[in-house]
Amino acid sequence: MPALTTLARVYVDDLDVALPTFVELTGEQPRLRFAYRDLTLASIGGFLLLAGTEEALAPYRGTHATALVESIDQVVRLTERDGGEILDGPNEVPTGRNLTVRHPGGATIEYVEFDAAALSSLA
């Protein structure tokens, strides 16, 4: 169950202001851009930008990275087997399904299983 890719999470005040810098840094255009709860998000290069107010971002700041996986169900089994803690999910999200886990040792990771439309953005 290897991760398909892992994205560094970057928390920003304003996505439109932040994106030009990341376009320049990565040489890419955003692959995904969508709203989730009170946030706007964009995937660009190896980054996942999360934009919103301090209040909206607060619940997400403790998550260290976002990993795209083939199966959320496999992550649930791994978490249960290894004694991790499911903090949130599984949930239906705009790109498919997600789950946030605190692993033994303290790493907190969001896992996302992309639906077909979101998965095509990786190509």
Side-chain angles (χ1 to χ4, degrees):
M1 182 212 54
L4 302 173
T5 192
T6 302
L7 302 172
R9 293 168 72 102
V10 179
Y11 302 96
V12 301
D13 301 328
D14 185 312
L15 195 57
D16 291 324
V17 171
L19 273 173
T21 299
F22 285 86
V23 167
E24 184 82 20
L25 284 170
T26 64
E28 298 182 20
Q29 293 296 314
R31 291 178 292 212
L32 283 174
R33 187 172 176 162
F34 59 95
Y36 179 67
R37 297 183 179 163
D38 292 334
L39 304 176
T40 53
L41 295 89
S43 169
I44 183 167
F47 301 98
L48 178 64
L49 279 62
L50 295 89
T53 65
E54 280 301 315
E55 180 179 77
L57 289 168
Y60 304 97
R61 287 193 181 272
T63 303
H64 301 114
T66 295
L68 306 182
V69 295
E70 290 180 357
S71 170
I72 289 293
D73 297 331
Q74 288 180 344
V75 176
V76 169
R77 287 191 292 276
L78 173 76
T79 301
E80 291 170 347
R81 184 194 76 198
D82 291 351
E85 178 185 0
I86 296 174
L87 301 177
D88 187 35
N91 302 302
E92 297 297 319
V93 295
T95 56
R97 296 172 63 208
N98 83 336
L99 171 77
T100 303
V101 172
R102 180 177 298 123
H103 291 284
T108 301
I109 309 294
E110 176 199 27
Y111 294 93
V112 179
E113 177 185 326
F114 272 180
D115 58 24
L119 195 55
S120 70
S121 73
L122 293 178

